[in-house]
Amino acid sequence: MSVHVPKIDLRSDTVTVPDDEMRRAMSAADVGDDVLDHDPTMAELEERVAELLDQPAALWVPSGTMGNLIALMLHLRRGDRFLAPEHAHVLGSELGTAAWIANGMPEALPHDGGPGRPTPATVRAVAGGTGPYYTLTTTLLCLENTHNFAGGAVIPAPEWTALVQAARASGLAVHLDGARIWNASAALRLSPATLAAGADTVQVCLSKGLGAPVGSVLASDADRIGEARRIRKMLGGGIRQGGVLAAAGLVALRSMDRLADDHANAARLAAGLRELGVGAMVPETNIVLVDLPHPQVAAARLAELGIGASVTAGKLRFVTHRDVSTADIDEVRDRVAADPELLG
Ligand SMILES: *Cc1c(COP(=O)(O)O)cnc(C)c1O
């Protein structure tokens, strides 16, 4: 087995390592005990993200999963049902906590509005009205922008607005899982605030394309964020001198402009593979899905060559990020060109 190939890790945009600037900011961070007094750097990061999302308040959380869970705990009670597009992270990738901790019965919606999203009509139809006392009460629509398993698919702003309106008309609150809202923002050239307008709660990740080692932020109104702080503590997510971590988040936020490079690399990879006759989907952001009969076999073969890919929703997935270069992308294409069996 060849070991003299560079490791090109396209399994996820979570594999990035903090750069020198980020490490310096972390070591120099102004800190306090966030559980007792609200750490000053945590507070600065939370204010900054609230501002970016045009929400009144925000709370740092250790992970996107905890951010989504806290949001769902704020919205749901026993006997409630929530709606989310099929293959949403909250449905299949959070161990079912939406149901067994947040008490919501999940209902998956088809992607009939385009990749990763339902139509407003479907939201209205599935939300329904009030039924007999023994039926579930549908209280929440949870959307994902970009939609991970739909290949980093973006929800265009007019559709987002129409979906929020449909939810409102049906009496539903709206949670946005904006783990990669920064990518949607770069792709559409619209501010994150525009793409989150009208949401009651928004979760955003700092540890994906933006490159922080840890951290997400949940944004909402001041009352919900006050309660979210209590729930975070309940879940064991109160961090003491969290400023060390928040400082990385503040640096991460300054790297938003370079996401367009990741999108260009994803487009380049997809185009290169398609030229070779490989069925790669044309990416909207930084995720390339490839439809293959045996994606697990392909991922294992690529791994032998030092190329990391993952399998999601039955497809081979490549994710571009700040630690892969255009030359790396070209090397992946060359490897596939040299061995047509690789993605066969
Ligand atoms: C990664 C991800 C999350 C969860 O973030 P973690 O920090 O890994 O817990 C939530 N939603 C989506 C769409 C994601 O891609």
Side-chain angles (χ1 to χ4, degrees):
M1 195 178 94
S2 167
V3 290
H4 299 291
V5 283
K7 177 77 177 136
I8 303 171
D9 199 347
L10 295 162
R11 287 172 301 162
S12 175
D13 46 9
T14 55
V15 301
T16 58
V17 294
D19 60 15
D20 288 344
E21 183 195 2
M22 199 174 268
R23 287 171 194 258
R24 276 197 301 273
M26 292 172 80
S27 77
D30 188 10
V31 296
D33 187 326
D34 194 57
V35 176
L36 296 182
D37 307 318
H38 207 170
D39 174 288
T41 310
M42 281 286 204
E44 186 185 340
L45 173 66
E46 289 164 353
E47 261 172 50
R48 177 85 190 101
V49 174
E51 212 175 271
L52 280 169
L53 297 172
D54 198 19
Q55 290 278 345
L59 181 74
W60 184 94
V61 286
S63 68
T65 299
M66 191 185 285
N68 283 339
L69 175 58
I70 292 173
L72 295 183
M73 289 174 78
L74 289 169
H75 290 298
L76 299 168
R77 297 183 311 163
R78 276 176 300 187
D80 283 357
R81 181 174 75 147
F82 73 98
L83 314 180
E86 235 176 346
H87 300 305
H89 203 279
V90 289
L91 293 179
S93 301
E94 299 180 7
L95 286 305
T97 48
W100 64 267
I101 302 183
N103 295 318
M105 181 72 98
E107 180 76 29
L109 301 182
H111 296 191
D112 55 352
R117 56 190 185 269
T119 59
T122 293
V123 170
R124 274 190 224 99
V126 179
T130 45
Y133 81 92
Y134 50 80
T135 54
L136 292 160
T137 314
T138 307
T139 56
L140 175 70
L141 173 65
C142 185
L143 293 168
E144 194 173 305
N145 196 10
T146 65
H147 192 296
N148 184 355
F149 282 21
V154 163
I155 305 178
E159 287 188 41
W160 164 260
T161 305
L163 285 163
V164 170
Q165 280 168 358
R168 293 274 174 260
S170 310
L172 310 186
V174 177
H175 172 63
L176 173 60
D177 178 354
R180 293 188 181 81
I181 196 167
W182 323 112
N183 296 85
S185 166
L188 296 171
R189 295 170 200 272
L190 290 170
S191 69
T194 301
L195 301 180
D200 298 287
T201 49
V202 188
Q203 184 280 120
V204 298
C205 285
L206 305 167
S207 65
K208 303 254 164 107
L210 299 186
V214 55
S216 275
V217 178
L218 179 66
S220 187
D221 62 39
D223 283 351
R224 282 206 189 88
I225 291 302
E227 182 60 19
R229 190 176 295 280
R230 286 169 55 81
I231 299 174
R232 182 185 68 177
K233 184 72 177 124
M234 219 182 272
L235 296 173
I239 304 287
R240 300 289 179 182
Q241 283 71 32
V244 172
L245 305 172
L250 284 163
V251 174
L253 287 173
R254 296 204 291 268
S255 76
M256 250 184 281
D257 286 349
R258 59 153 307 287
L259 292 176
D261 300 345
D262 297 344
H263 298 181
N265 276 336
R268 188 181 180 95
L269 177 62
L273 294 177
R274 289 162 73 88
E275 266 172 40
L276 297 170
V278 174
M281 281 168 59
V282 175
E284 295 179 49
T285 55
N286 68 328
I287 300 177
V288 179
L289 295 182
V290 183
D291 222 341
L292 296 171
H294 305 292
Q296 296 284 5
V297 174
R301 283 182 184 150
L302 287 165
E304 282 173 21
L305 298 172
I307 298 168
S310 56
V311 177
T312 50
K315 298 193 173 70
L316 188 68
R317 187 185 78 155
F318 297 101
V319 188
T320 58
H321 52 76
R322 58 185 298 146
D323 292 353
V324 287
S325 64
T326 304
D328 291 333
I329 294 301
D330 290 346
E331 182 170 341
V332 174
R333 184 208 48 212
D334 292 347
R335 290 286 187 161
V336 176
D339 180 2
E341 294 287 286
L342 199 54
L343 300 185

